[in-house]
Amino acid sequence: MANDQEMSGWTELLHSSTKLLEHAGPSSHFPPLQRNLDQLESLSKKLKSKTLRAEAPSQSISATRQ
């Protein structure tokens, strides 16, 4: 379980995000995006897989130099 300090950090982050959204007006340059948790999970896994593929060659090269 999370301790009080961790929960305080999350609560503060939520509060500051909410304030930011309140002050930000709609923008024609950046339309608002809404995602549900399933979509966020899917997109984060897709991004992670791209990152892992990009990092793999450099890790194997550095491993051969040691």
Side-chain angles (χ1 to χ4, degrees):
M1 281 209 160
N3 63 29
D4 289 342
Q5 187 176 5
E6 288 175 352
M7 289 304 295
S8 173
W10 284 109
T11 303
E12 185 179 327
L13 179 61
L14 176 61
H15 179 68
S16 62
S17 315
T18 305
K19 279 179 66 174
L20 181 62
L21 286 173
E22 289 171 359
H23 293 293
S27 170
S28 61
H29 292 86
F30 302 104
L33 295 175
Q34 292 187 338
R35 302 275 193 257
N36 65 33
L37 291 177
D38 292 333
Q39 290 171 321
L40 289 174
E41 181 181 21
S42 173
L43 291 169
S44 66
K45 285 179 180 178
K46 192 181 292 186
L47 181 61
K48 183 179 178 182
S49 71
K50 288 180 182 179
T51 304
L52 293 176
R53 281 185 290 190
E55 289 178 355
S58 63
Q59 289 176 348
S60 62
I61 291 171
S62 64
T64 57
R65 284 189 246 152
Q66 294 178 353

